[in-house]
């Protein structure tokens, strides 16, 4: 029996997916929103965390490193920056979130054996992810800026000083050749880095 924790923020999709996974006789499935994921993972000690990268709880970048178990991530080619974050968190499985449940089941079973699984549909996303010049922290800062968060809120949410947030924004702007913050957001979204 493989214990799986499904981490998501999209209630209808997450609930339907959890229901589908519980029909598998070799899986014991629990699910939780991102806001409670680290604590829930610590309490359940799952072998696998299936993490939906389309995080809606305002994290900017999902806190994958806080789950402390083998990761299988649900992503899309339109968000290669999130695939890169999953690689940095050493995820074992990468599954297209728009694909059939059988692909996710294959990813879970591969990860349970300690094997890597990459959904063919995400290949182009990985190519784009390798071209992203932004660090994880820079991406978090820029993602929150793109959501309209002011410097003070970004600083609070990422546990940084306001000056550090401004320094990150200046570095991002220089690094990608943008004219200003708005241009940096536009370029990054156009390239699929956010």
């Amino acid at each position: 029996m493989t214990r799986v924790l499904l981490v998501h923020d999209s209630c209808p999709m997450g609930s339907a997916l959890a229901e589908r996974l519980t029909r598998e006789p070799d899986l014991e499935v629990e699910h939780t929103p991102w806001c409670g994921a680290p604590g829930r993972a610590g309490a359940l000690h799952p072998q696998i965390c299936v993490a939906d990268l389309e995080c809606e709880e305002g994290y900017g970048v999902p806190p994958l490193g806080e789950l402390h178990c083998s990761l299988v991530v649900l992503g899309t080619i339109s968000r290669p920056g999130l695939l890169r974050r999953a690689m940095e968190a050493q995820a074992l499985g990468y599954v297209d979130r728009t694909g059939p449940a059988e692909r996710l089941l294959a990813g879970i079973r591969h990860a349970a054996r300690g094997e890597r699984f990459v959904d063919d549909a995400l290949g182009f996303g990985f190519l784009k992810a390798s071209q992203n010049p932004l660090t994880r922290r820079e991406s978090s800062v820029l993602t929150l800026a793109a959501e309209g968060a002011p410097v003070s809120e970004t600083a609070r949410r990422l546990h940084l000083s306001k000056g550090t947030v401004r320094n990150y924004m200046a570095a991002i702007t220089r690094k990608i050749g943008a004219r200003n913050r708005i241009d940096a957001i536009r370029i990054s979204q156009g390239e699929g880095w956010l």
Side-chain angles (χ1 to χ4, degrees):
M1 184 69 72
T2 301
R3 188 175 301 125
V4 177
L5 178 62
L6 174 61
V7 182
H8 61 87
D9 280 332
S10 176
C11 290
M13 189 282 289
S15 296
L17 189 54
E19 169 62 30
R20 171 62 183 92
L21 294 177
T22 57
R23 287 190 236 141
E24 297 300 312
D26 60 329
L27 302 180
E28 178 183 324
V29 181
E30 298 280 338
H31 63 106
T32 186
W34 273 107
C35 63
R40 190 88 166 123
L44 291 175
H45 303 290
Q47 288 103 332
I48 306 292
C49 282
V50 175
D52 186 354
L53 296 178
E54 298 297 321
C55 180
E56 298 171 4
E57 286 291 318
Y59 287 102
V61 175
L64 297 171
E66 296 177 22
L67 298 177
H68 306 294
C69 61
S70 295
L71 286 171
V72 174
V73 296
L74 297 170
T76 64
I77 62 169
S78 65
R79 302 285 304 272
L82 293 177
L83 293 175
R84 181 176 178 209
R85 299 310 164 270
M87 287 188 317
E88 291 169 355
Q90 300 178 344
L92 284 177
Y94 303 85
V95 179
D96 183 357
R97 77 187 304 264
T98 63
E102 289 70 28
R103 300 298 291 164
L104 175 57
L105 290 168
I108 290 169
R109 291 185 175 119
H110 275 79
R113 294 189 301 264
E115 301 169 358
R116 185 165 307 282
F117 178 86
V118 179
D119 197 327
D120 296 338
L122 297 178
F124 185 68
F126 278 105
L127 287 175
K128 287 190 80 169
S130 67
Q131 300 168 354
N132 185 352
L134 302 177
T135 66
R136 180 183 342 189
R137 182 61 83 180
E138 289 167 342
S139 291
S140 294
V141 168
L142 194 58
T143 298
L144 290 173
E147 293 172 0
V151 170
S152 59
E153 182 180 339
T154 299
R156 182 184 54 77
R157 287 169 63 179
L158 297 177
H159 308 288
L160 301 170
S161 72
K162 293 177 198 173
T164 300
V165 171
R166 285 188 205 92
N167 288 341
Y168 274 122
M169 284 306 302
I172 292 165
T173 302
R174 280 191 310 274
K175 194 180 272 191
I176 63 176
R179 294 183 309 269
N180 54 40
R181 173 182 173 149
I182 302 300
D183 195 35
I185 293 167
R186 183 190 56 75
I187 289 168
S188 295
Q189 287 176 334
E191 290 294 329
W193 298 334
L194 293 181

